Amino acid sequence: MEKQDIRICCSLGDEPARIVRSKDYDRLFILTDENTELHSLPLLKEALQDIPFTPVSIPAGDLHKNIDTLSSVWTALSQGGASRKSLLLNLGGGMVTDLGGFAAATFKRGIRYANLPTTLLSMVDAAVGGKTGINFCGLKNEVGAFCPADTVLICTQFLHTLDRRNLASGYAEMLKHGLISTRAHWAELLKRQPGDTSDAGQLTRLIEESVRIKERIVSQDPYEKGLRKALNLGHTVGHAFESFTFHTDHPALHGYAVAWGLVCELYLSARLTGFPTEALHQTTRFIHEHWGHLTFSCDDYPALYSLMLHDKKNTGGTINFTLLRDIGDIALNQTAGRDLIYEALDYYRETCE
Ligand code: GLY
């Protein structure tokens, strides 16, 4: 997979115009959802100066990350005269960058695209690394392609439009990057409030470090044959928590579910691969303090276990975990039996008290 050009800035300036003018693109299409069309497109329009573009807008929310929305983007590209030399610029959160990336990967067998992520979660995760796709048959990201963006422009100016919960959601993926990288980065993340944007300079630097951690891993294993699975830390239990809350009155934001999943998977790491208990307890306290508690009882364990069994990362009927031997010391392809997983769920609930 080709390397993505990742740029990080605090305000848009003339960066979007430079990106569009830097290559031989013949037409520019800008994909937004109904929120970013309202709140972010005006900023981008100003930054693009007089560069003409065709706007394409889709409904917001993961519910619309489907084949019908994808088809509407293909239609807009086709009717707008997009060619293999056109650029699709995706302006939005992970839903827009995933779906837009897949539309670009498939239209005329592939046109070029750029991502301009507007949420912290998409800045540090979804918009980087070339995974594109849509949900299909009730399964998340069931159909997609690995296809790198030409450019990812991360502009922290957009973070000021986010509420505390969405900032905390993205910060959970940053914490995961801390855990799989170095003790120094992990410790620095533990010193901040996840929803705090007051020190924009420090936050931009931490985001940059987070993105570089992901970029280093993706460049070594773009197609997730091995090392890239490190990015799944917290996600096996996290996805089960996310699905578990999906049909309730309070569906969890992705990053919240990942944070809660990290508590359980660090517990498994302590039990199976020697992760230090002091780091387990410190991280657990930090997560409980900032991401609140998911309420469930031991009657829910079989349902959660069954959701983990259906995780698409599994092979041969065993649940696949990425665990840690220590901070930055990754143990891939670990497995745990039902009793130990129940013990990890016990640990989660006991430490909530
Ligand atoms: N979100 C995990 C990955 O990009 O591999």
Side-chain angles (χ1 to χ4, degrees):
M1 188 156 69
E2 270 170 51
K3 203 169 177 327
Q4 297 179 316
D5 175 20
I6 301 177
R7 304 179 190 192
I8 303 186
C9 60
C10 298
S11 76
L12 283 177
D14 60 359
E15 204 59 44
R18 273 203 274 168
I19 289 166
V20 175
R21 291 197 179 111
S22 68
K23 295 204 176 139
D24 57 341
Y25 304 122
D26 65 354
R27 273 197 172 84
L28 172 64
F29 291 78
I30 298 181
L31 180 69
T32 55
D33 66 24
E34 56 213 9
N35 297 324
T36 56
E37 181 183 13
L38 203 65
H39 301 294
S40 312
L41 187 59
L43 284 173
L44 177 59
K45 212 166 167 173
E46 200 183 309
L48 281 170
Q49 301 149 15
D50 53 359
I51 298 174
F53 65 89
T54 304
V56 183
S57 186
I58 55 176
D62 209 61
L63 209 63
H64 298 284
K65 191 176 161 185
N66 58 28
I67 188 83
D68 294 331
T69 310
L70 177 67
S71 167
S72 75
V73 176
W74 283 331
T75 305
L77 291 171
S78 183
Q79 290 178 349
S83 77
R84 280 243 179 106
K85 288 201 143 195
S86 302
L87 177 72
L88 178 64
L89 201 165
N90 302 315
L91 176 67
M95 183 272 190
V96 171
T97 58
D98 278 9
L99 187 142
F102 190 47
T106 45
F107 186 74
K108 290 193 192 288
R109 297 205 181 90
I111 66 169
R112 289 169 296 177
Y113 75 97
N115 284 337
L116 215 172
T118 55
T119 64
L120 184 56
L121 192 73
S122 58
M123 288 178 190
V124 298
D125 192 16
V128 180
K131 278 189 181 175
T132 72
I134 55 165
N135 304 332
F136 190 65
C137 282
L139 298 167
K140 277 175 76 86
N141 301 324
E142 182 69 352
V143 178
F146 287 100
C147 178
D150 265 15
T151 310
V152 181
L153 175 59
I154 294 169
C155 178
T156 51
Q157 186 180 359
F158 290 110
L159 294 180
H160 302 299
T161 62
L162 291 186
D163 59 21
R164 211 202 65 82
R165 287 181 70 243
N166 274 289
L167 288 165
S169 182
Y171 203 81
E173 293 287 359
M174 292 173 67
L175 180 60
K176 178 199 77 182
H177 288 160
L179 285 160
I180 61 175
S181 60
T182 63
R183 201 165 258 272
H185 186 49
W186 164 78
E188 197 174 7
L189 289 166
L190 256 50
K191 284 194 196 122
R192 279 186 67 94
Q193 303 280 327
D196 182 13
T197 52
S198 57
D199 187 343
Q202 192 203 31
L203 184 58
T204 303
R205 191 177 50 70
L206 286 171
I207 291 172
E208 182 156 15
E209 192 158 351
S210 211
V211 170
R212 299 299 169 211
I213 290 163
K214 175 157 183 180
E215 199 187 10
R216 266 199 302 277
I217 289 175
V218 171
S219 68
Q220 290 174 67
D221 177 25
Y223 301 109
E224 202 170 313
K225 303 276 185 237
L227 183 63
R228 188 167 180 163
K229 293 183 193 171
L231 299 170
N232 295 333
L233 180 70
H235 283 65
T236 304
V237 180
H239 279 149
F241 284 153
E242 196 174 359
S243 305
F244 179 73
T245 66
F246 197 67
H247 297 291
T248 67
D249 292 341
H250 301 287
L253 291 180
H254 175 72
Y256 277 67
V258 169
W260 303 327
L262 283 172
V263 171
C264 298
E265 294 187 19
L266 290 183
Y267 177 84
L268 292 177
S269 299
R271 291 280 275 108
L272 290 172
T273 52
F275 188 73
T277 49
E278 137 276 332
L280 165 68
H281 294 140
Q282 246 180 294
T283 313
T284 300
R285 273 196 302 275
F286 186 72
I287 290 174
H288 286 318
E289 187 180 340
H290 296 289
W291 283 271
H293 307 315
L294 174 68
T295 308
F296 59 95
S297 76
C298 44
D299 293 340
D300 298 314
Y301 288 12
L304 287 165
Y305 181 68
S306 156
L307 285 165
M308 289 176 222
L309 272 176
H310 289 99
D311 193 293
K312 67 167 169 287
K313 299 184 296 295
N314 298 335
T315 46
T318 55
I319 302 177
N320 186 288
F321 290 99
T322 292
L323 300 180
L324 295 178
R325 293 182 202 92
D326 199 344
I327 291 168
D329 188 353
I330 300 150
L332 300 175
N333 301 321
Q334 301 296 310
T335 191
R338 194 186 59 182
D339 290 350
L340 196 53
I341 291 173
Y342 282 14
E343 214 179 285
L345 295 172
D346 284 341
Y347 172 77
Y348 179 85
R349 288 171 59 231
E350 281 156 15
T351 51
C352 283
E353 287 158 7

